[in-house]
Structure formats: C-alpha cells, structure tokens
Amino acid sequence: AFNALQRYGVEVRGGMVKVSKKLQVANPQHTPPSRSASDRGSFVIIGGGAAGFAAAHALRAKNWRGRILMYSGDGEAPYDRTLLTKDYLDGHFGGDRLEIAKNALGKLDVDLELRVNVEALEPANNTLRLADGRRQVYDKLLLATGSAPKRLDIPGADGPNVFVLRTLADCRRILNAASHARRAV
C-alpha cells in the first residue's frame, strides 16, 4: 500500500486499553533527484499496472537517478484492478478513485507510454522491439505485465455477450451491456 494506515493514540491504564483520537500520519512524498549528464542508465518497465507503478516508486525511493520508462498496452495510467470486480463494478464509486498513480508518475519523473505493446526482447543487445516498429535500448528491464484471462473452451464462449474482466475498458463494456440486459449468468 502506498498510503499510510490510520493510527490512533493508545494508552494502557490499570489493565484497560484506551484508544484516543486519530493521529495525523504524513505520507512521505518522494522528490526525485535531479538528473545530471552522467546519469546514462535507463530502467524500462514493461507493464503499467500496480506492480509496474510499485517498481517505479521503489526505484525512486532507492534513489535510482537514471531514466525510467514504462510501457503499457492499457489505455489508462496505473489503476487498482482489484477494485474493478468490487466497488467500481457495483457502482460504489467512479473511475477517478481507481487510479493509484494520481499524478505520481510525473512527480517520480517516469515516462509512461500507453497503448504500446512490446513485440520482442533482444537481451543480447539490451533492446526491445515495440509493436509500432520502434526500438528501445535499456540498461535494466522489469517485466510486470500481469496475466491474461483464460477464456472458456466451449461453444459460444466467443459470443458478443460473453465478457472477460481484466481492464477498465473490459469493465466499462460489461457495465454498458448490463445496463440494458434482462439476464446475466
């Protein structure tokens, strides 16, 4: 978790525990060190989900001074996928609360590219080949792509009203279909 847990004052008096008011807990804000011309290292993170964001956050917290690039096939900045099947899907809150990296990637000096897929890794020369034809050289690389849903291998499973849920876009398609559906399985 990136946000501090709530804390309360606690005292033990005469064998009794007394919990007092909530204590203010500051969430540490990390300011990345400024880069100099000697910072030539690049760290590429493939995957723009929670793990990719956590890695970028940890790199800066450990004072990685080089460039951090994050490539994501998703169309959204890192968000909490677990909430898609819970609070977002049942309408408890909107998409603005799913985002885990609210403006943080910019503050961490992370270059995020959305809707970019990596087609090949060339570890012999530390290079990625992106789906759009570009090549990217890296010094360090982290694969944080997550997983893909496994579709049922039965007749009808590829029908237009059969959905999988992994991304925010998937969730929005389900919500749209459910808004005028009479039955759901």
Side-chain angles (χ1 to χ4, degrees), residues 21-158:
K21 67 181 181 174
K22 186 178 354 180
L23 302 173
Q24 293 296 325
V25 179
N27 281 320
Q29 297 296 318
H30 179 73
T31 303
S34 59
R35 291 189 199 152
S36 69
S38 65
D39 289 330
R40 300 189 194 283
S42 63
F43 201 116
V44 172
I45 300 170
I46 302 174
F53 175 73
H57 187 272
L59 284 166
R60 289 298 187 220
K62 296 292 183 184
N63 291 319
W64 172 266
R65 294 176 58 93
R67 185 174 184 205
I68 300 176
L69 298 101
M70 182 182 291
Y71 293 112
S72 177
D74 203 339
E76 307 283 340
Y79 56 91
D80 188 341
R81 289 188 200 281
T82 60
L83 294 177
L84 294 180
T85 62
K86 297 167 184 63
D87 296 327
Y88 184 76
L89 189 61
D90 73 6
H92 274 77
F93 60 76
D96 60 318
R97 292 191 43 207
L98 293 174
E99 195 175 327
I100 57 175
K102 263 195 192 43
N103 305 314
L105 291 175
K107 289 178 184 172
L108 293 171
D109 197 19
V110 173
D111 299 321
L112 170 65
E113 287 194 40
L114 300 174
R115 295 182 184 88
V116 174
N117 291 309
V118 176
E119 281 198 345
L121 299 176
E122 300 170 2
N125 59 3
N126 287 19
T127 304
L128 304 174
R129 190 173 70 239
L130 306 177
D132 62 10
R134 291 181 294 156
R135 299 174 87 72
Q136 175 64 54
V137 176
Y138 61 87
D139 293 298
K140 308 277 185 192
L141 175 70
L142 173 68
L143 299 176
T145 57
S147 61
K150 183 167 173 57
R151 290 193 162 270
L152 294 173
D153 187 19
I154 59 173
D158 58 351

